[in-house]
Structure formats: structure tokens, C-alpha cells
Amino acid sequence: MSEHRPKPPHSQDDEPSAASSAAEQSNCPAPSGDTTPETPSDSHEGRHPNGEDAEDGRTTQRGGAGLLEEANTGDDGGDGGQGGDGGKGSGNGRDGDPGKARRINYPRHNKYGWRRWVPSWKLVTGLCLGFIGSLTAATSIAYAMVEVPDPNKASEAQNNVYYWADGTQMAATGGEINRQIIPISQIPEDMQNAVISAENKTFRTDSGVDPVGIGRALVNMAKGGQPQGGSTITQQYVKNARLGDQSQTFSRKFKELIVSVKVGANMSKPEIMAGYLNASYYGRDAYGLQAAARTYYGIDAKDLNTGQCAFLASLLKDTVHFDPAGSVDIDPAATPEANTARVTDRWNWILDEMLKDGHLPAAERVKYKNVPMPRSAAKNGQLSGQIGYLVDLAKSYFLSTNDQGIGADELAQGGYEIHTTFQKDKVDKLKAAVNRIKDVRIDPKKRPATDTHVQFGGASVHPKTGEIVAIYGGEDATKHFTNGADETGAQVGSTFKPFVLAAAMETGVRDPLKAEDQGLDDRKLVDPDKSVYNGKNKLKIKKYDGSVWTNEKGEEWLQTNDGGESYKNITLREAMVHSANSPFVQLGMDIGIPEVRRSAVKAGLLESSLSKSNVPSFSIGISSPSAIRMAGAYATFAANGKQRDPFSVKKVEHEGRTVYEHEDRTKQAFTTAVASNVTDVLRSVVDEPEGTGKNARLPGRQVAGKTGTTDGNKSAWFVGYTPQLSTAIDMYRLDDNEKNKKREFLEMYGTGGQDKIHGASFPSEIWQTYMSEALKGQPVMNFPAPEQIRP
């Protein structure tokens, strides 16, 4: 019997078809015995000359029958060829006609098992060559199609335009006034070397692009990761001066690469360096090196020394966090102290890198031990008066709330239209109301010891929207350092008491017979007309359980009332009307200071502005929220318990596209019963003959409000509202010269010719004057009737 064994392999090109092989065998005599006929391929030892395995089928012969039991086995489809002696071979439906060569041999028809799926080197090479060819063609097409933008148009910073609430233009700021293009001959060599050592050591020899760096950035963005850098100075120049689009997208990065290649091929290195330093933003509205030199040091760029060059090179990394003047309005972490430390580290690092790179002799390096600090930040002259405060407020609000990743550097490039909530007529009326008091009653020349450094601040918020419709920041944004409408550090005094009352009516006071950690069911809700408290002057304050409160030194707390007034047991409404301190301090202890703090935050105050101490005086306003936040928190009561954060920007557009739009987020901070009762009590403060807020009355309109005066007479407030408008006015004395690092609040005894400044005096008078004008022509609206507080 003949031995059955696989047919020696052939290549697809050399192997005859199964049908022809069978025909040849039928014309030959049948072999005798158990021998196997030798074929020409038996000597190949199963290998095709090209080194590939070429098994493509097996033929099986039995005895002298010469029958081909197995024809070629197909891989890709169709029927196989026919076997000898009329026997049909069968394919597996995958190879098709094995007599025809396929263009792409994948999966490989002549392999078995996992080898079928391993591509041949020919296929891999072909695919790689095809990919490279396609990429080259695409790049060539892109290179031909992408034009290099005009640098003069792209590098000229556009205005940012701020609009009043009615859509009219309020201010235009941007780079149109603070950029001076200078040639490379006026740019110090040290400035060029500082930038090269800090950002691109191979600048003078590279091709202008960093393929590895930009490739890493593209891959990271394609994976959905954070945008990355990896740019050379040439690429940064292209980004800043040639491309208006600052986005970190795949298409923008690819365009940057193409343009950078073209720029590197057609511009000299000195031209690129000059273009980069002229186009870059250095902070403080300074565009380009010349403007930066004038802004920070008051000299021309050509006169900068090595230390000053290293400082300005440091700013190119991050203007917000490296300017020693600080940028806390943009980022609370960008304080002058923190920024000074950061820029000092980078300044030293740049000088050390210049030394390492051979750009700075060692003898020169030792001369620079301290950062050459720039002069104080000056305000934009076009932003004088109240406009500067308004622009700064809207700018900081937008930068802190937008979710598009738009930062200070992006905003500084210009082209943004910021639509604010500010109403010009109300801003003018608030300013006029302040000036009516300030110009007539405050006289530093006549009373230098008491009337110098007097400051006012104010803010007006719409209760039903949260819109900040007006602020008064100070005399002039170019002269007065602090915005009086924002946080100043001035304590709010008794204007804090409504939050204590709200907590008492919502959370209740604790049961003195039960444990300190009590739920609402263990507490007793307070009714302002039924709950009676001791109004004695120098009242000994106790804990909720009746034990005497003492501080860490073991000292008791004796609470005084304004002017040393003493009251018999009085209701909380009466205590609010007279602004008696003792009842509210004891009430706060009965509620628990943490609950009082929580009530203030629910109303809309920022927790960061509240005192961290749990001392008895917390309830009478030792915290220092801003006028904006106080107006917003009182607006929560005006809106019958609905809280909205005050905001100053409605919408921002950039190149015809809306990049930010305010979304109303309303919370029911207090029940309508609590809010309506707080309002009703505060109405008594204004309406009652003995009420401290009587100077704020508006004939024919319902008004709710509260006066505030602090210990030491260092600040005075009036905060009040109607159903349409909530306004806070603050007054204090503060030497606000930026050179004065102490920033101590001064007493106001004798200020304005008065023995003592109360919230009932100048602040309430300003409030009444402003609100009378602001509400003129608007319909009269009433507050909701107070609801019953459940027992």
C-alpha cells in the first residue's frame, strides 16, 4: 500500500491547476507496488525559492487509482478546482479560483492557523509606503493651500468692548493704545538670550518646529487629554502674531505647524525673534517688549539691563501668577506675596540657564542677586471714575465663571464683547447720591484728623434676577486702590442680625436640658413677636445650657449695646428696631454659631468672608462681606426666600460666537414664612418712629432695612430693599495708599462733624437719596404678608 503524505509545496504562480495535474497523471502508466511517484518539486524540501511556505493543498493517491482525493484548498471564496479522473476537488469557499492571483493576499490563502493572519513583509511594506505617500501628499497639499496670515493684522490686539445693560457701549479696552513695534536693533541681546534660554535653547539653529513636541501635543489632544505645549519660539510667534485662533485643537495645531515651517523657511531668525517679542503679552495691558519696558520700568526697551530682561522674560510664562502686583481679582492665589515668590524663582532660574548656555558671564551673574522690582501697576487712563470699577468687576466675574477655558491672556488678546448687567442711569444716580454727602459733609481740609481717608462703597442688586445693576467703587478707579463695592475688610456690624433671626425662625433654639447635638425636633422655633430676650447693657452671655460663656483665658463675655443703652426684656422685633445687641448675641448662642453661619451662607454670603470664630460677637457682625454680597443676601429676603448669586455679566461674544451666557440658578434658601417674617421685622426698623432706619423711608413705598455700626466706630452700613431693588451702602476710613502695607481701619469719631458715625446717619441718607431716584417712575409694589411661624 502506498504511503499517504502531503504534497510538496509550490508557489501559487508555479503550481498547475488541479485539473491539469489529474489529466497528466491519466496519460501515464499506473505505478506498480507501493511506490510514490516523484514530482519535480520533491527536491525543493517544502520551500518556495522566495523563502515563503507555499503549502496550498494536498493530493492523495490510493494504489494505482491515481485519484486526487484533495484538491487545492481555497481561502477566499468560490469552488475549488476539479480533481483527477473526473473527481471534484472542493474549496472551503474562501479562496476563489486558485488559478488566479489576488491583488492583496490577506488573509493569506496559503497559510494555516494563526499564520494566515500574519501579513507578509510585502504587504506591510506596501501599506507603509502607501501611508507615507498619502501623508506626504496631504502635507504637500496643505503646505500649498495654507497661507501665512498677515502679521500686521493678526498681531494688532483688538479691543474688548464692554456694554451697558441696554446694549450701548460702556468702554473699549485692549491693545490698541499700548503697543509699539520696535526693530531687532532696539531689542537687547540679553532679552533675546533670556527668552532663548528659558523657552527654546536651539532657536538659532532649529528649523522652527519641534515635531516631537507638537506630535506629543496632538496625540494627547486626540485622546481627549489636556492641551499641551511643545512649541518653539517660531511656533509661539506664529500663534501670537500670525494666527488669530488661540484654541488648542488638532486642526489649529496642524495649521500652526504648516505656517511655522513656511515662516522658518522665509524669515530670518532675527525677524522671528523681533516678531515674537513685539507680539507677546506681558500683563498690565502691555503688548510687546517696548510697551512692557515702559509699563514696568518706565524706560525704553533698548535700555533694559540683564536683570530687567530676565524679569520680563519670566512674565511670558504667566502674567497672572508672576506679576508682583498680584492678580487676586482673577485668581485668589495670585497674591502679591505669592507672585513675588514665583517670579523670584523663575528669574533666578533664567539667569542660571543663561549662565549655563554661555549667554551670561559668571562675573555678570553674581551682580544680580535680587529681582529688579517693577513700579506699581498703573490704571488705564480711559478707565477713570466708576467705569474702571465696572470693567474690573465684569472682567473678573467672566474669568472666574466661564467654562470655555478663557483666561487672562486670551482675554487680553481682545475681540470680546462683554454684555454687563450695569444700568448707566443707576450707576450715575448712586455716584451722585454718594457725592451729595461726601462733597458737602466730608471736609479733609477743615477736619484733617477725622475726615481724611473717608471711603464709601455701594452695590445695588435686582432681587428677582441677581443682576448687579449699579456699584459705587470709590472716588476714581485710577486713584483709589480698593473697590468699595467688593470686599474691603470693613465689618458689617448689626446688618448681620437678620441672618440670626432667620436661623432662629428656621432652625430654632436648643433645649437647655438636652445634649448639644440636637435635631430640629429637639429645638424650639422662635417667633419675633413672642420670643422675649434680656436687653440689658453689659449682659453676661451664657451658653445654651445656661452656663456662663468664657473665652480661652477664662474671661466672661459682657455684651454692650450701642451708646450704653439698656432695655428691659424685649421681643426680637423690638430688639431689631432699637438695634440692641444683647438679645441677638444671646440668641446666637442659643441657636449655635455654626447654625447662624449656615444661615448667612444660605442667604448668599460667601463663607470665606465670614469670621471663623465661634465667639458670641459673631452674631452682631464681626465678619466682612462685600457690599455686593450684602445686597445680594438681603435680596433673598426681598424675593421671599429665593436666593440667586449676584452677577455682572449676561453674555460674552467673540468673533460672532457666544462663548458665555449666564444661567439663572435659583434656590429656595428659606421658607416663605421665614423670609416674609424677616422682611416684616426689617420694615419695622424703617417704619417705627424709634427705628434706627427711619432716615431710609421712601414715601409711598414699603422699605425693609437694617443699620450697622461696629465697635470702635470703624465702619457703618445701611442695607435695605424694596420688592424691586436691594442696595447696600458702606462707609469707613482707610488709608488706602498702596504703599501703606498696614491697611488699618481708622475710627470715625468726629468724622463729618458728627460725634459718631452710625448706619443711621450718612449710609442711610445715601441709600434714601439713591433709591428715591432709582425707583422713580417704577410701579409701587408691596411685600408679601408675613406667614405664621409654626410652633
Side-chain angles (χ1 to χ4, degrees):
M1 183 178 292
S2 63
E3 180 182 356
H4 295 277
R5 64 176 180 177
K7 184 177 180 180
H10 290 276
S11 71
Q12 185 178 5
D13 295 334
D14 295 339
E15 184 181 15
S17 69
S20 64
S21 296
E24 290 177 5
Q25 292 182 35
S26 67
N27 295 326
C28 297
S32 61
D34 293 337
T35 61
T36 303
E38 186 180 22
T39 65
S41 61
D42 280 348
S43 60
H44 294 173
E45 297 180 352
R47 283 285 177 185
H48 189 279
N50 65 8
E52 290 184 48
D53 289 335
E55 290 183 331
D56 61 0
R58 297 173 179 153
T59 57
T60 305
Q61 297 175 340
R62 296 182 180 273
L67 295 177
L68 187 63
E69 292 185 350
E70 296 184 24
N72 289 323
T73 302
D75 286 332
D76 286 331
D79 294 332
Q82 290 184 346
D85 288 346
K88 284 189 177 181
S90 61
N92 62 7
R94 291 178 296 177
D95 266 358
D97 187 352
K100 296 181 180 179
R102 294 177 299 157
R103 294 180 183 274
I104 300 177
N105 183 22
Y106 192 83
R108 298 173 73 182
H109 79 281
N110 49 2
K111 297 294 180 181
Y112 297 92
W114 61 268
R115 291 182 178 85
R116 289 173 52 76
W117 305 100
V118 178
S120 68
W121 67 270
K122 290 182 179 180
L123 181 59
V124 172
T125 302
L127 290 175
C128 288
L129 291 175
F131 175 79
I132 293 172
S134 300
L135 182 61
T136 302
T139 303
S140 299
I141 293 172
Y143 189 90
M145 293 182 64
V146 174
E147 297 182 358
V148 178
D150 184 349
N152 294 321
K153 294 180 180 179
S155 60
E156 181 180 356
Q158 305 174 65
N159 292 338
N160 287 324
V161 182
Y162 292 78
Y163 295 93
W164 294 103
D166 63 2
T168 58
Q169 183 172 316
M170 179 175 72
T173 67
E176 83 282 5
I177 60 170
N178 199 18
R179 179 198 296 280
Q180 302 86 41
I181 304 298
I182 56 176
I184 192 68
S185 60
Q186 294 183 27
I187 298 177
E189 191 76 9
D190 281 339
M191 184 66 199
Q192 301 177 50
N193 289 333
V195 173
I196 290 172
S197 290
E199 301 182 22
N200 183 191
K201 293 179 182 293
T202 61
F203 168 73
R204 291 193 171 97
T205 58
D206 63 30
S207 62
V209 297
D210 178 7
V212 175
I214 202 167
R216 183 174 57 249
L218 292 173
V219 170
N220 186 67
M221 284 186 287
K223 292 179 178 179
Q226 292 296 320
Q228 292 183 346
S231 300
T232 63
I233 286 176
T234 302
Q235 288 172 251
Q236 293 182 61
Y237 161 65
V238 167
K239 180 177 69 174
N240 293 338
R242 302 279 184 153
L243 299 178
D245 181 12
Q246 297 290 316
S247 62
Q248 296 284 344
T249 61
F250 188 96
S251 61
R252 214 280 306 163
K253 275 289 186 183
F254 184 76
K255 184 177 181 180
E256 174 188 310
L257 180 61
I258 297 298
V259 175
S260 297
V261 171
K262 285 192 169 185
V263 167
N266 294 288
M267 290 180 65
S268 67
K269 292 294 184 179
E271 288 176 322
I272 294 172
M273 176 62 74
Y276 171 60
L277 294 177
N278 279 318
S280 296
Y281 178 63
Y282 296 79
R284 301 191 188 181
D285 289 329
Y287 297 83
L289 183 63
Q290 174 65 9
R294 298 296 306 175
T295 298
Y296 286 90
Y297 294 111
I299 60 177
D300 291 326
K302 61 184 177 62
D303 297 322
L304 292 167
N305 62 35
T306 304
Q308 293 167 335
C309 288
F311 172 85
L312 294 179
S314 300
L315 293 178
L316 293 175
K317 179 177 177 63
D318 187 341
T319 59
V320 172
H321 297 95
F322 283 79
D323 184 350
S327 299
V328 292
D329 58 330
I330 298 174
D331 184 352
T335 62
E337 296 78 11
N339 281 15
T340 299
R342 280 189 284 262
V343 77
T344 298
D345 289 342
R346 185 160 180 82
W347 179 80
N348 278 304
W349 177 79
I350 289 177
L351 290 175
D352 290 339
E353 290 299 303
M354 292 175 68
L355 175 64
K356 186 189 305 180
D357 297 337
H359 297 317
L360 183 65
E364 276 292 306
R365 173 65 181 95
V366 298
K367 294 180 181 179
Y368 296 99
K369 298 179 180 179
N370 299 311
V371 176
M373 298 305 291
R375 60 185 185 177
S376 300
K379 292 285 186 178
N380 187 330
Q382 288 190 336
L383 301 179
S384 59
Q386 296 305 303
I387 300 298
Y389 298 120
L390 297 170
V391 167
D392 284 348
L393 186 63
K395 175 183 176 182
S396 62
Y397 180 83
F398 170 60
L399 290 176
S400 64
T401 56
N402 83 85
D403 58 0
Q404 300 294 311
I406 300 171
D409 288 348
E410 287 77 14
L411 187 63
Q413 295 302 313
Y416 292 88
E417 297 181 0
I418 296 95
H419 297 265
T420 75
T421 60
F422 306 128
Q423 298 179 19
K424 187 177 187 304
D425 63 326
K426 289 184 172 60
V427 171
D428 291 341
K429 290 170 180 176
L430 182 54
K431 177 184 176 181
V434 173
N435 287 343
R436 180 179 175 181
I437 292 294
K438 182 172 67 68
D439 294 346
V440 175
R441 308 292 290 275
I442 307 299
D443 191 344
K445 293 182 179 180
K446 183 178 180 180
R447 292 179 293 272
T450 59
D451 286 17
T452 55
H453 310 308
V454 174
Q455 314 289 353
F456 293 92
S460 198
V461 173
H462 196 302
K464 294 182 179 174
T465 64
E467 294 176 350
I468 305 172
V469 298
I471 65 167
Y472 179 84
E475 180 182 354
D476 191 319
T478 63
K479 301 175 182 178
H480 179 54
F481 186 68
T482 300
N483 184 345
D486 215 336
E487 285 192 36
T488 62
Q491 295 181 355
V492 297
S494 291
T495 57
F496 196 82
K497 290 174 182 176
F499 308 124
V500 185
L501 180 60
M505 290 189 290
E506 184 174 60
T507 304
V509 297
R510 292 172 288 185
D511 188 334
L513 301 178
K514 295 186 178 181
E516 183 172 353
D517 186 14
Q518 299 178 25
L520 186 60
D521 292 339
D522 296 320
R523 291 170 173 261
K524 180 181 179 181
L525 299 184
V526 169
D527 186 305
D529 293 313
K530 297 177 181 178
S531 299
V532 176
Y533 273 79
N534 192 337
K536 177 184 176 182
N537 187 49
K538 295 185 178 179
L539 178 69
K540 184 180 293 186
I541 300 302
K542 299 178 181 180
K543 300 178 182 178
Y544 83 96
D545 61 3
S547 61
V548 176
W549 187 91
T550 58
N551 61 17
E552 64 276 4
K553 297 180 181 179
E555 300 169 336
E556 298 178 348
W557 188 280
L558 300 178
Q559 182 58 54
T560 60
N561 292 322
D562 187 35
E565 292 288 338
S566 227
Y567 306 92
K568 298 179 180 179
N569 290 344
I570 55 176
T571 66
L572 292 175
R573 182 186 295 273
E574 293 172 323
M576 191 77 80
V577 168
H578 293 283
S579 198
N581 292 332
S582 298
F584 280 96
V585 171
Q586 186 59 60
L587 176 62
M589 298 303 291
D590 293 346
I591 299 168
I593 300 303
E595 292 297 330
V596 174
R597 184 181 289 106
R598 191 172 297 113
S599 174
V601 171
K602 286 175 62 177
L605 299 187
L606 296 176
E607 189 164 4
S608 60
S609 70
L610 302 180
S611 171
K612 304 301 183 291
S613 300
N614 289 331
V615 296
S617 57
F618 180 87
S619 296
I620 53 173
I622 60 174
S623 299
S624 52
S626 67
I628 292 171
R629 282 287 170 173
M630 285 298 290
Y634 272 49
T636 299
F637 299 126
N640 215 21
K642 292 181 179 179
Q643 190 270 330
R644 299 172 177 86
D645 284 340
F647 68 100
S648 57
V649 177
K650 294 186 290 186
K651 182 175 66 174
V652 177
E653 296 177 321
H654 185 252
E655 297 180 350
R657 181 172 61 95
T658 299
V659 297
Y660 171 82
E661 192 161 10
H662 174 76
E663 294 182 11
D664 182 37
R665 294 184 176 89
T666 305
K667 296 176 288 187
Q668 190 70 41
F670 301 104
T671 65
T672 56
V674 169
S676 61
N677 274 275
V678 170
T679 295
D680 192 60
V681 170
L682 295 183
R683 283 189 60 198
S684 298
V685 174
V686 177
D687 291 343
E688 295 294 327
E690 64 273 24
T692 58
K694 60 186 177 183
N695 285 342
R697 294 172 185 167
L698 298 175
R701 292 184 184 272
Q702 293 185 354
V703 174
K706 184 69 187 76
T707 56
T709 308
T710 59
D711 288 344
N713 202 210
K714 294 181 179 179
S715 61
W717 291 71
F718 186 82
V719 187
Y721 55 94
T722 67
Q724 297 108 311
L725 208 56
S726 177
T727 301
I729 303 294
D730 60 322
M731 176 183 177
Y732 53 92
R733 285 184 67 211
L734 178 67
D735 183 358
D736 206 28
N737 188 311
E738 58 182 303
K739 295 181 180 179
N740 180 15
K741 302 301 181 182
K742 293 184 178 180
R743 285 179 53 81
E744 293 181 346
F745 286 88
L746 307 174
E747 295 179 344
M748 293 191 292
Y749 296 109
T751 297
Q754 298 191 357
D755 293 337
K756 182 179 181 179
I757 297 297
H758 295 83
S761 56
F762 296 152
S764 65
E765 292 177 28
I766 293 172
W767 189 96
Q768 199 277 342
T769 300
Y770 162 70
M771 291 289 281
S772 295
E773 293 297 317
L775 295 173
K776 186 174 292 185
Q778 295 192 26
V780 173
M781 298 178 64
N782 295 329
F783 294 114
E787 301 175 22
Q788 183 177 1
I789 298 294
R790 67 176 180 82

